[in-house]
Amino acid sequence: MVMVRCSLCGEAAVVRIGYARLRLCRAHLREYLVRRVRRTIERYKMIGQGERVLAAVSGGKDSSAMLSLLAALTGELGFEIVPFHLDLGIEGYSEASRRAVEELSGMLGLKPLVVSVRDVLGVRVLGFARRAGRPVCAVCGALKRYFLNAAAVGLGFDAVAVGHTADDVSAYILKAFLTQDWGGLAKTSAVNEAVDGLAARRVKPLFEVHEKELLAYVLSWRLPFVGEECPYARLSTLVFDCRRALAMLEHRRPGLRLSLVRGVVRSRSIFPGSEEPVRACSACGLISSGDVCSFCRLTAKALGEPMGARVREYLSGLSL
Ligand code: Q46
Ligand code: ZN
Ligand code: ZN
């Protein structure tokens, strides 16, 4: 078998980057990704010097790679990161995810903030979803968003970082076009600005990075991550079909994903519905579009009372 060599140094290549016409070895892949994340942070003004960032890490390949790449930039860009992991209580999968996050954080010299949904709400994500009568992923997504923001606001972080990749964002864009969700397109962004006291700035440092590169990165650098999918991941959703369609298009037309993602962000003001008024939830005081936020409404339905205030109290008491 012929060994494929790095375009830059001739060592064994671990990945081919079609749109950049490059094959890279593990060392040059890391250099490439660190540079790309640095440029993304600068281009979209994600993180300023001296800021503190709470990085959401699920234990999967994307957020694990994000944590490692952000850790490589803290000195140069002058910010601080703390990993944040929410233990969902999914049998087998959650234990493995938690272990991967703790191991990776240890390797990077970081102390992770690990919070168990069960410890705070007395119920795991599946039980919560059953009581709410909602799909488990919808409930899980709401929990992750709320806990991350509540922790960041309560503990005084300037921003939260999430591991959404160009693959994720482009799939959501295609889905939004197909379902004529113009409000969703208007909200497509690498950065959602902070709302004073109600929401921390939300940034996506992997906005212009492909998952194929991240997988090659975590494998070639042997970073701890959970390889298996969550047992509740659905492969039949429209957004999953959009991912597959875009992967095929990217293969035939390298660079298509990035131009779609950048193009929509540049022109998102042409889509109606970008400016939704927000206010403080009357139950918990965090961001809401109505009188009571969606998390407090969801917990009231599933658990008999709005739980936002309890979550906030718990998280604000954590020591870093
Ligand atoms: S963790 Fe949660 Fe995902 Fe599992 S339950 Fe669904 S949303 S699939 S990213
Ligand atoms: Zn090389
Ligand atoms: Zn609330």
Side-chain angles (χ1 to χ4, degrees):
M1 212 167 82
V2 184
M3 190 207 284
V4 180
R5 297 195 176 276
C6 174
S7 318
L8 303 179
C9 72
E11 287 290 319
V14 295
V15 69
R16 179 177 160 272
I17 302 183
Y19 56 89
R21 293 171 186 271
L22 285 174
R23 290 183 168 88
L24 298 176
C25 67
R26 70 192 279 276
H28 280 114
L29 172 61
R30 177 171 158 90
E31 218 174 77
Y32 176 86
L33 288 173
V34 169
R35 197 168 53 236
R36 197 154 189 94
V37 168
R38 188 206 310 119
R39 275 204 210 135
T40 306
I41 290 173
E42 288 168 350
R43 172 178 291 167
Y44 297 102
K45 300 186 173 44
M46 290 184 172
I47 307 169
Q49 249 202 345
E51 288 194 333
R52 294 170 67 238
V53 181
L54 194 59
V57 193
S58 67
K61 70 178 188 320
D62 301 333
S63 57
S64 297
M66 175 183 79
L67 186 66
S68 158
L69 296 166
L70 285 177
L73 286 164
T74 50
E76 186 188 338
L77 298 183
F79 61 85
E80 187 194 322
I81 46 168
V82 173
F84 178 81
H85 178 72
L86 189 62
D87 183 333
L88 301 162
I90 297 173
E91 224 178 280
Y93 174 76
S94 288
E95 288 91 9
S97 304
R98 185 181 185 142
R99 265 198 311 277
V101 172
E102 286 172 343
E103 208 184 312
L104 175 64
S105 302
M107 270 171 71
L108 298 170
L110 301 168
K111 185 169 169 258
L113 207 55
V114 178
V115 175
S116 151
V117 171
R118 195 183 181 196
D119 287 351
V120 188
L121 297 177
V123 63
R124 300 165 204 244
V125 72
L126 190 57
F128 191 140
R130 281 204 189 112
R131 291 196 207 181
R134 300 276 312 274
V136 62
C137 289
V139 167
C140 179
L143 280 169
K144 287 194 265 194
R145 267 192 307 278
Y146 190 86
F147 273 67
L148 181 65
N149 184 52
V153 171
L155 298 168
F157 282 85
D158 299 287
V160 297
V162 293
H164 295 183
T165 61
D167 302 47
D168 294 322
V169 180
S170 57
Y172 279 109
I173 288 172
L174 181 55
K175 181 187 166 204
F177 270 114
L178 294 174
T179 57
Q180 290 115 61
D181 173 12
W182 311 129
L185 285 170
K187 281 187 219 137
T188 305
S189 179
V191 179
N192 300 104
E193 288 304 338
V195 182
D196 211 12
L198 305 183
R201 187 187 327 130
R202 187 175 168 90
V203 304
K204 299 172 187 156
L206 303 179
F207 196 69
E208 298 197 351
V209 181
H210 289 87
E211 290 180 18
K212 179 181 142 188
E213 297 148 27
L214 298 169
L215 180 62
Y217 176 60
V218 292
L219 288 175
S220 61
W221 284 84
R222 296 178 191 276
L223 299 182
F225 76 102
V226 181
E228 70 263 30
E229 284 278 1
C230 167
Y232 301 108
R234 292 267 169 277
L235 306 182
S236 56
T237 56
L238 177 56
V239 78
F240 188 78
D241 286 340
C242 290
R243 288 173 80 93
R244 274 205 295 232
L246 283 160
M248 186 270 288
L249 288 166
E250 177 72 29
H251 182 67
R252 295 171 65 124
R253 291 175 169 70
L256 182 123
R257 267 203 201 103
L258 284 185
S259 77
L260 176 66
V261 164
R262 286 181 184 152
V264 167
V265 169
R266 248 197 324 270
S267 52
R268 68 198 174 105
S269 58
I270 64 171
F271 300 110
S274 52
E275 292 302 325
E276 245 181 35
V278 291
R279 53 173 126 162
C281 167
S282 61
C284 73
L286 287 181
I287 194 161
S288 177
S289 55
D291 178 41
V292 178
C293 76
S294 52
F295 181 79
C296 285
R297 277 186 278 124
L298 186 67
T299 43
K301 185 177 177 204
L303 308 173
E305 55 174 313
M307 293 287 208
R310 184 190 293 186
V311 173
R312 293 194 69 184
E313 197 187 324
Y314 182 97
L315 295 172
S316 305
L318 293 175
S319 64
L320 291 170

